[in-house]
Amino acid sequence: MPLFANDRSDSPPKMIIQQSMWSLKQYGDHNREWSLEKKFEQIAAAGFHGIFGSLPSKEERGLWARLMDEYHFSFGLESFPATGEELRQLLEQASDYDVLYVNAQVADAFTTGAAAVTRLEELLEVADRYNMPFFVETHRGRITQDLQRTVEYVRQISDLRLTIDLSHYVLAGEMYEFDTADPYFQELLQRTGSIHGRVSNGQQIQIDMGKNADHPMVGPFTGWWKRGMHEWLAKAGKGDVLPFVCEIGHHYSVTPRFVPGYSWEEISDRWEQTLILKQLVEQVWMDVDNHAKRGNPK
């Protein structure tokens, strides 16, 4: 199984920025959600390299395929497997699509210890049979529910690669100081396969970064992303790709009042925040890549 996503080229390792389709649910103009065409148009105009999401519905399959070809987008596939068989079925369904990698939120939060390690190893074996890069996301409510148990997984499974989303651990641990957590974060960052971009704090899974990305929590997160990028780049080879997914979530947004279902009333503008995040991450990657090139003149 490939450890990293790869574009099958001889190009030097690079980062690509993808947009989460989940993040654009119930986003639009005048209380009307953008159409699929409008979403793709906006994602392309903003300079994203591709999308991250689930397989298209049967009704949207033809349109989705046309838009993917038109914009030359890469595709990261989300999954929620509880068994190897569930992953196998998904990969069979995905065989007609040019999937760059699979991201997995592995069920469930109550599976721990040896049973969790066995489940993860089973999923890795299935991904290996399909020669598919496979990254387990550090996510609440999943097998990666908390920081310490996830560190135990990487200690026991040498080829486990992660989608880094530390927003979940900052929130779940009500973290405001990071000295104690940082060595654990570093163990996970050494296994970076992809990164999901969102900034949290000890009480909210998603904060408004500000129009200049000057919220105090931006600094710690960009520092972690930078370290994950360094770790990835030190191991990557020709054609390898580091997907960074902008994932400003739709039902993670703070709303001024309770509305049944997903509210259109959000304090922050999700798309505006996404574009701020994209610009921020591009600068972080540029710093990492330039540093690596200075250290390795070749």
Side-chain angles (χ1 to χ4, degrees):
M1 179 184 66
L3 293 180
F4 301 133
N6 190 284
D7 64 7
R8 299 184 292 274
S9 75
D10 290 328
S11 301
K14 64 184 178 183
M15 182 185 74
I16 62 171
I17 303 183
Q18 297 177 319
Q19 170 59 26
S20 166
M21 298 303 289
W22 167 76
S23 296
L24 289 178
K25 285 185 177 179
Q26 203 164 337
Y27 185 88
D29 305 307
H30 312 295
N31 287 1
R32 184 173 182 178
E33 184 171 353
W34 283 349
S35 65
L36 188 63
E37 295 100 319
K38 180 70 176 287
K39 291 176 183 178
F40 271 74
E41 178 186 336
Q42 293 294 317
I43 292 168
F48 285 90
H49 302 100
I51 62 169
F52 169 78
S54 57
L55 293 176
S57 66
K58 186 178 296 184
E59 295 75 23
E60 289 188 326
R61 193 174 298 165
L63 175 60
W64 187 93
R66 179 178 67 77
L67 293 170
M68 289 293 287
D69 287 341
E70 179 179 345
Y71 293 112
H72 307 289
F73 277 170
S74 62
F75 179 37
L77 177 62
E78 65 180 354
S79 69
F80 305 89
T83 65
E85 176 59 20
E86 288 181 6
L87 179 60
R88 186 198 67 79
Q89 291 178 13
L90 176 66
L91 293 179
E92 285 292 332
Q93 295 169 21
S95 60
D96 292 335
Y97 300 88
D98 188 14
V99 176
L100 183 62
Y101 66 95
V102 171
N103 177 85
Q105 293 184 25
V106 180
D108 59 20
F110 298 97
T111 302
T112 62
V117 171
T118 298
R119 180 170 300 175
L120 291 168
E121 290 177 334
E122 178 187 6
L123 293 169
L124 288 170
E125 289 172 4
V126 172
D128 185 46
R129 290 204 298 271
Y130 285 82
N131 199 38
M132 177 62 68
F134 180 80
F135 309 134
V136 174
E137 184 173 351
T138 61
H139 202 291
R140 294 166 300 145
R142 309 299 181 194
I143 210 168
T144 51
Q145 163 76 15
D146 63 72
L147 173 60
Q148 288 169 289
R149 77 164 80 165
T150 306
V151 168
E152 288 301 316
Y153 302 152
V154 301
R155 289 174 179 174
Q156 295 183 59
I157 307 173
S158 61
D159 55 351
L160 180 62
R161 289 295 179 272
L162 302 173
T163 292
I164 298 294
D165 186 348
L166 298 183
S167 68
H168 294 284
Y169 295 150
V170 171
L171 174 64
E174 293 193 30
M175 294 182 189
Y176 292 96
E177 300 291 337
F178 306 109
D179 289 347
T180 302
D182 201 69
Y184 295 99
F185 285 169
Q186 182 59 29
E187 289 196 59
L188 301 187
L189 292 169
Q190 291 171 2
R191 300 296 186 88
T192 300
S194 67
I195 301 173
H196 281 189
R198 181 189 310 109
V199 177
S200 69
N201 63 22
Q203 299 297 332
Q204 296 164 309
I205 187 57
Q206 181 171 287
I207 57 94
D208 186 316
M209 296 180 293
K211 293 187 183 298
N212 298 312
D214 54 4
H215 189 284
M217 285 303 298
V218 171
F221 274 88
T222 55
W224 295 322
W225 297 337
K226 181 177 289 188
R227 282 157 56 187
M229 291 172 186
H230 275 297
E231 293 288 350
W232 178 88
L233 193 54
K235 305 175 184 74
K238 289 183 178 180
D240 283 340
V241 172
L242 174 64
F244 189 105
V245 177
C246 291
E247 199 181 33
I248 308 295
H250 68 302
H251 63 265
Y252 286 178
S253 296
V254 177
T255 57
R257 65 189 181 92
F258 174 76
V259 179
Y262 297 133
S263 172
W264 285 93
E265 298 183 74
E266 299 177 8
I267 291 174
S268 294
D269 185 299
R270 266 185 277 144
W271 184 240
E272 179 183 82
Q273 286 283 292
T274 295
L275 299 183
I276 292 169
L277 174 62
K278 178 178 179 291
Q279 185 176 24
L280 178 67
V281 170
E282 286 170 338
Q283 183 60 55
V284 173
W285 172 256
M286 186 180 301
D287 293 344
V288 170
D289 194 36
N290 287 339
H291 181 272
K293 288 174 180 176
R294 288 195 300 269
N296 181 9
K298 296 181 180 179

